[in-house]
Every structure is written in structure tokens, then in C-alpha cells.
Amino acid sequence: MVKAAAAVVAFLGGCGTELPPQSLVDGFRILAVRSDPPHAAPGERVRVEALIADPGGGGRSVVRAWIACLPGPGGDMDRCRDPGGGAIVAFGAGEVLEFDAPDAGSGDGPAVAIVTLAACAGGVLSMPPGGEGPSGLPACEGGDGAVAIKRVFVGGDAPPNRNPVVESLEIDGEPLVDADPSLRLPPCEAGSCPRRTVRLRYAEGSSERFVVVEFGTPRERTEDLYMSWFATAGEFARIRSGGMEPEVEWVQPEGVGAVVFYFVGHDGRGGQDWATRRVVIE
């Protein structure tokens, strides 16, 4: 664990990743990283976890290395590369990283803790011989690797933000629930596959009100929730939809087999929630 964490420390200078725009999940990916809470008070316990997809992995193990760092007001990520510099808040190798939000000092605006996750499916995390590789990232040897970064806000005068909550999901009016994750659909042939409507509902209170200061004047705003759609097969009409009850058309793939959906909700201020569902075409 320490060796993998040291590898993450080594690449924390100027490293950033963005989720790819495509909604088709056809390989190993980190789809989202959620912090609970996304905006913490100093000393508050923070729990960070990731939504990881590995549709072709056959249940292979996933190795993780987490680093949480407070780079400071100037955002100097070089501080996060020094294990003895005091900027590293926590590190770990489990499915979840927990730490107490650091005291970032006084100031009207929140500080930002950077949480980095390096994940390797079916292999091991290590640094190449001689130090960093061409990308500056630790290598995933013998498997598939991915890296993601999450920003956790700490302190400040603004009221803390909380994650939205995905309440219910359905496809063509049929509920997609955890208790019966394998909704069954009839197969179709190329050129005649139906466009099905996928709909989601957030729980009441998921869209919070907050205050921003614009040109010196406080103004009240409401979070604009949106949903990112992912699936292992088929095609979505768009990759994102907004609102408290977002929906999207999904073209069913031809043939038979299982399709896994990944729904990732955002509140635009760092808050997230997600749900995973499965349908079987037979």
C-alpha cells in the first residue's frame, strides 16, 4: 500500500484527467468520484469513493491508491509530491478513503483539498524503472489502469454543500430497482431497435439554494442538477440531461445479452450521486 501511495505522490505535479465525453462504457473506467460531504467543515469526517466500471473484466480485482492533499492558497501541487512537507492529509488503498477535513486557516472562500485515485484492474501499480514514466503516472502492470481527481471544498463562510440523492429510475415506465436489477427486454434486429425512454428522479431537497457574491452583491441561486448517462451497450441521444426529473432516449442494441447502466448525478457545485442498474435482453 505504501509503495503504491508513494507512486501517486510522485505524479501529483500538474496531473489532471477529465472523464471522456462518450457514454459507451466498453472498457475499464473511473466514471465518478464522490465525496461525502463535498463541502466539509474543518475537522469533519470526509468519505471518498469511486464508481468504477470494468464490464469486460470478469470480476477481476482492482488495486487502488488514494492520496488526499491540501496544496495551499496558491494551488502549489509540488507540495503534494513531498511526503514530509505536511500537505498530504491522507492516503490509502481500500475501496473508500476517509479523513478529517483539514483546518485550512481563515478566509471567506473555501480551501480545496485534492484527492487523487489511481486504479489498476487485473494488475499492480508501480513506478517504471528509473522513476516516472513518460506520462508522469504510475504504471498499471499486467492490467488496465485509470486515474481520477476529486476536489473537496473545506471551510469558508458559505453554507456547506450536500450531495444530491437519486431516488428512482425507470425505462419506458418500468422501474429499475435494486431488488430486481435484471429487467428483461425483448430482442430486436438491426434497423428496427426501439428508442426507449430512460427517466430518473432526484429526491426532494436535492437541488439546494446557495448564495454567491457577484460584484460585491450577495445573490441567491439554486443548483442546476444534471445527469450523465453511461451504458455498456446501446446509444443515448445525448450524454447529459438537466432538471429534477432528467430523461433521455436510449436506442436498444441489437441481439441479446446484458446491459449495465451507470447514472451519475451532479449538482454543479461538487456534489454527486450515482446508481447502477442492469437489464437483460433475451
Side-chain angles (χ1 to χ4, degrees):
M1 178 182 76
V2 174
K3 188 174 182 180
V8 179
V9 171
F11 73 73
L12 278 177
C15 161
T17 59
E18 295 292 338
L19 291 177
Q22 68 272 20
S23 59
L24 177 64
V25 181
D26 57 359
F28 180 70
R29 288 171 62 180
I30 302 174
L31 297 177
V33 180
R34 176 176 59 200
S35 168
D36 187 19
H39 187 161
E44 186 174 4
R45 195 68 173 172
V46 177
R47 174 186 172 93
V48 187
E49 57 188 326
L51 175 61
I52 296 179
D54 190 19
R60 59 184 172 172
S61 63
V62 177
V63 180
R64 298 168 175 83
W66 299 89
I67 290 287
C69 172
L70 192 67
D76 183 8
M77 292 300 292
D78 285 340
R79 300 180 66 220
C80 299
R81 304 179 68 180
D82 180 8
I88 295 177
V89 178
F91 67 88
E95 293 186 6
V96 174
L97 177 70
E98 293 190 6
F99 61 93
D100 293 331
D103 187 351
S106 60
D108 295 335
V112 180
I114 305 297
V115 179
T116 304
L117 168 64
C120 178
V124 295
L125 284 171
S126 67
M127 294 302 295
E132 298 180 0
S135 66
L137 304 178
C140 175
E141 297 182 352
D144 298 312
V147 177
I149 290 177
K150 176 67 176 179
R151 290 167 175 81
V152 181
F153 299 97
V154 180
D157 292 339
N161 182 26
R162 301 301 173 187
N163 289 313
V165 177
V166 174
E167 185 174 64
S168 63
L169 297 137
E170 61 183 40
I171 181 168
D172 284 350
E174 292 291 330
L176 294 171
V177 295
D178 287 330
D180 183 18
S182 296
L183 177 68
R184 303 187 183 276
L185 301 174
C188 61
E189 297 181 356
S192 62
C193 289
R195 302 176 68 91
R196 301 188 180 276
T197 299
V198 181
R199 181 177 291 108
L200 175 144
R201 291 182 180 87
Y202 287 104
E204 184 177 354
S206 291
S207 180
E208 299 177 293
R209 299 191 69 81
F210 62 101
V211 176
V212 297
V213 178
E214 298 177 346
F215 303 105
T217 303
R219 298 184 185 278
E220 192 173 57
R221 296 284 186 263
T222 302
E223 292 174 340
D224 294 322
L225 303 182
Y226 66 93
M227 176 63 52
S228 297
W229 312 100
F230 301 94
T232 56
E235 182 178 353
F236 289 106
R238 54 185 178 274
I239 62 173
R240 289 181 177 180
S241 303
M244 284 291 292
E245 296 187 6
E247 65 177 51
V248 67
E249 286 191 335
W250 172 72
V251 180
Q252 179 180 320
E254 60 181 282
V256 297
V259 179
V260 180
F261 292 97
Y262 305 91
F263 307 103
V264 181
H266 310 260
D267 67 6
R269 296 199 298 144
Q272 288 184 319
D273 194 22
W274 60 62
T276 303
R277 296 292 188 268
R278 180 174 176 267
V279 301
V280 175
I281 303 169
E282 64 175 13

PDB file of all heavy atoms in Angstrom, residues 181-195:
ATOM      1  N   PRO A 181     -32.748  -6.231 -10.239  1.00  0.00           N
ATOM      2  CA  PRO A 181     -31.858  -5.485 -11.125  1.00  0.00           C
ATOM      3  C   PRO A 181     -31.854  -5.953 -12.567  1.00  0.00           C
ATOM      4  O   PRO A 181     -31.288  -5.295 -13.420  1.00  0.00           O
ATOM      5  CB  PRO A 181     -30.482  -5.713 -10.486  1.00  0.00           C
ATOM      6  CG  PRO A 181     -30.604  -7.027  -9.796  1.00  0.00           C
ATOM      7  CD  PRO A 181     -32.012  -7.098  -9.314  1.00  0.00           C
ATOM      8  N   SER A 182     -32.486  -7.085 -12.878  1.00  0.00           N
ATOM      9  CA  SER A 182     -32.424  -7.615 -14.235  1.00  0.00           C
ATOM     10  C   SER A 182     -33.771  -7.484 -14.935  1.00  0.00           C
ATOM     11  O   SER A 182     -34.484  -8.467 -15.156  1.00  0.00           O
ATOM     12  CB  SER A 182     -31.970  -9.080 -14.215  1.00  0.00           C
ATOM     13  OG  SER A 182     -30.657  -9.191 -13.721  1.00  0.00           O
ATOM     14  N   LEU A 183     -34.156  -6.267 -15.284  1.00  0.00           N
ATOM     15  CA  LEU A 183     -35.349  -6.055 -16.090  1.00  0.00           C
ATOM     16  C   LEU A 183     -35.122  -6.705 -17.450  1.00  0.00           C
ATOM     17  O   LEU A 183     -34.055  -6.561 -18.053  1.00  0.00           O
ATOM     18  CB  LEU A 183     -35.605  -4.566 -16.254  1.00  0.00           C
ATOM     19  CG  LEU A 183     -36.795  -4.180 -17.144  1.00  0.00           C
ATOM     20  CD1 LEU A 183     -38.104  -4.587 -16.493  1.00  0.00           C
ATOM     21  CD2 LEU A 183     -36.783  -2.682 -17.419  1.00  0.00           C
ATOM     22  N   ARG A 184     -36.115  -7.423 -17.970  1.00  0.00           N
ATOM     23  CA  ARG A 184     -35.931  -8.175 -19.212  1.00  0.00           C
ATOM     24  C   ARG A 184     -36.667  -7.487 -20.357  1.00  0.00           C
ATOM     25  O   ARG A 184     -37.813  -7.100 -20.229  1.00  0.00           O
ATOM     26  CB  ARG A 184     -36.396  -9.619 -19.022  1.00  0.00           C
ATOM     27  CG  ARG A 184     -35.652 -10.276 -17.879  1.00  0.00           C
ATOM     28  CD  ARG A 184     -35.928 -11.754 -17.708  1.00  0.00           C
ATOM     29  NE  ARG A 184     -35.205 -12.243 -16.531  1.00  0.00           N
ATOM     30  CZ  ARG A 184     -33.934 -12.613 -16.537  1.00  0.00           C
ATOM     31  NH1 ARG A 184     -33.237 -12.554 -17.660  1.00  0.00           N
ATOM     32  NH2 ARG A 184     -33.345 -13.037 -15.439  1.00  0.00           N
ATOM     33  N   LEU A 185     -35.947  -7.359 -21.479  1.00  0.00           N
ATOM     34  CA  LEU A 185     -36.482  -6.714 -22.669  1.00  0.00           C
ATOM     35  C   LEU A 185     -36.416  -7.691 -23.838  1.00  0.00           C
ATOM     36  O   LEU A 185     -35.499  -8.509 -23.922  1.00  0.00           O
ATOM     37  CB  LEU A 185     -35.660  -5.461 -23.020  1.00  0.00           C
ATOM     38  CG  LEU A 185     -35.573  -4.366 -21.955  1.00  0.00           C
ATOM     39  CD1 LEU A 185     -34.604  -3.286 -22.405  1.00  0.00           C
ATOM     40  CD2 LEU A 185     -36.945  -3.775 -21.672  1.00  0.00           C
ATOM     41  N   PRO A 186     -37.374  -7.605 -24.775  1.00  0.00           N
ATOM     42  CA  PRO A 186     -37.309  -8.476 -25.953  1.00  0.00           C
ATOM     43  C   PRO A 186     -36.213  -8.009 -26.904  1.00  0.00           C
ATOM     44  O   PRO A 186     -35.905  -6.819 -26.978  1.00  0.00           O
ATOM     45  CB  PRO A 186     -38.694  -8.311 -26.581  1.00  0.00           C
ATOM     46  CG  PRO A 186     -39.155  -6.974 -26.128  1.00  0.00           C
ATOM     47  CD  PRO A 186     -38.589  -6.779 -24.759  1.00  0.00           C
ATOM     48  N   PRO A 187     -35.593  -8.919 -27.633  1.00  0.00           N
ATOM     49  CA  PRO A 187     -34.518  -8.536 -28.554  1.00  0.00           C
ATOM     50  C   PRO A 187     -35.058  -7.838 -29.800  1.00  0.00           C
ATOM     51  O   PRO A 187     -36.265  -7.843 -30.070  1.00  0.00           O
ATOM     52  CB  PRO A 187     -33.866  -9.872 -28.908  1.00  0.00           C
ATOM     53  CG  PRO A 187     -34.968 -10.875 -28.744  1.00  0.00           C
ATOM     54  CD  PRO A 187     -35.822 -10.363 -27.606  1.00  0.00           C
ATOM     55  N   CYS A 188     -34.140  -7.230 -30.547  1.00  0.00           N
ATOM     56  CA  CYS A 188     -34.508  -6.551 -31.778  1.00  0.00           C
ATOM     57  C   CYS A 188     -33.431  -6.799 -32.832  1.00  0.00           C
ATOM     58  O   CYS A 188     -32.321  -7.246 -32.513  1.00  0.00           O
ATOM     59  CB  CYS A 188     -34.680  -5.044 -31.540  1.00  0.00           C
ATOM     60  SG  CYS A 188     -33.178  -4.232 -30.955  1.00  0.00           S
ATOM     61  N   GLU A 189     -33.747  -6.493 -34.074  1.00  0.00           N
ATOM     62  CA  GLU A 189     -32.807  -6.654 -35.167  1.00  0.00           C
ATOM     63  C   GLU A 189     -32.324  -5.289 -35.632  1.00  0.00           C
ATOM     64  O   GLU A 189     -32.977  -4.262 -35.401  1.00  0.00           O
ATOM     65  CB  GLU A 189     -33.483  -7.398 -36.334  1.00  0.00           C
ATOM     66  CG  GLU A 189     -33.910  -8.817 -35.990  1.00  0.00           C
ATOM     67  CD  GLU A 189     -34.540  -9.521 -37.176  1.00  0.00           C
ATOM     68  OE1 GLU A 189     -34.699  -8.868 -38.227  1.00  0.00           O
ATOM     69  OE2 GLU A 189     -34.871 -10.714 -37.049  1.00  0.00           O
ATOM     70  N   ALA A 190     -31.177  -5.267 -36.273  1.00  0.00           N
ATOM     71  CA  ALA A 190     -30.585  -4.017 -36.745  1.00  0.00           C
ATOM     72  C   ALA A 190     -31.574  -3.269 -37.630  1.00  0.00           C
ATOM     73  O   ALA A 190     -32.224  -3.859 -38.506  1.00  0.00           O
ATOM     74  CB  ALA A 190     -29.301  -4.308 -37.525  1.00  0.00           C
ATOM     75  N   GLY A 191     -31.715  -1.980 -37.384  1.00  0.00           N
ATOM     76  CA  GLY A 191     -32.629  -1.151 -38.153  1.00  0.00           C
ATOM     77  C   GLY A 191     -34.018  -1.078 -37.585  1.00  0.00           C
ATOM     78  O   GLY A 191     -34.830  -0.247 -38.032  1.00  0.00           O
ATOM     79  N   SER A 192     -34.331  -1.935 -36.625  1.00  0.00           N
ATOM     80  CA  SER A 192     -35.677  -1.921 -36.049  1.00  0.00           C
ATOM     81  C   SER A 192     -35.646  -1.866 -34.522  1.00  0.00           C
ATOM     82  O   SER A 192     -36.661  -2.123 -33.885  1.00  0.00           O
ATOM     83  CB  SER A 192     -36.456  -3.165 -36.491  1.00  0.00           C
ATOM     84  OG  SER A 192     -35.823  -4.350 -36.015  1.00  0.00           O
ATOM     85  N   CYS A 193     -34.517  -1.529 -33.932  1.00  0.00           N
ATOM     86  CA  CYS A 193     -34.408  -1.485 -32.471  1.00  0.00           C
ATOM     87  C   CYS A 193     -35.112  -0.249 -31.921  1.00  0.00           C
ATOM     88  O   CYS A 193     -34.971   0.849 -32.472  1.00  0.00           O
ATOM     89  CB  CYS A 193     -32.947  -1.493 -32.049  1.00  0.00           C
ATOM     90  SG  CYS A 193     -32.133  -3.091 -32.329  1.00  0.00           S
ATOM     91  N   PRO A 194     -35.872  -0.404 -30.843  1.00  0.00           N
ATOM     92  CA  PRO A 194     -36.679   0.710 -30.319  1.00  0.00           C
ATOM     93  C   PRO A 194     -35.840   1.759 -29.612  1.00  0.00           C
ATOM     94  O   PRO A 194     -34.749   1.484 -29.103  1.00  0.00           O
ATOM     95  CB  PRO A 194     -37.622   0.014 -29.333  1.00  0.00           C
ATOM     96  CG  PRO A 194     -36.852  -1.184 -28.869  1.00  0.00           C
ATOM     97  CD  PRO A 194     -36.069  -1.645 -30.072  1.00  0.00           C
ATOM     98  N   ARG A 195     -36.369   2.973 -29.583  1.00  0.00           N
ATOM     99  CA  ARG A 195     -35.812   4.066 -28.782  1.00  0.00           C
ATOM    100  C   ARG A 195     -36.597   4.090 -27.478  1.00  0.00           C
ATOM    101  O   ARG A 195     -37.781   4.423 -27.460  1.00  0.00           O
ATOM    102  CB  ARG A 195     -35.928   5.396 -29.519  1.00  0.00           C
ATOM    103  CG  ARG A 195     -35.235   5.417 -30.861  1.00  0.00           C
ATOM    104  CD  ARG A 195     -35.463   6.730 -31.592  1.00  0.00           C
ATOM    105  NE  ARG A 195     -34.785   7.835 -30.929  1.00  0.00           N
ATOM    106  CZ  ARG A 195     -33.538   8.225 -31.210  1.00  0.00           C
ATOM    107  NH1 ARG A 195     -32.833   7.585 -32.139  1.00  0.00           N
ATOM    108  NH2 ARG A 195     -32.989   9.242 -30.581  1.00  0.00           N
TER     109      ARG A 195
END
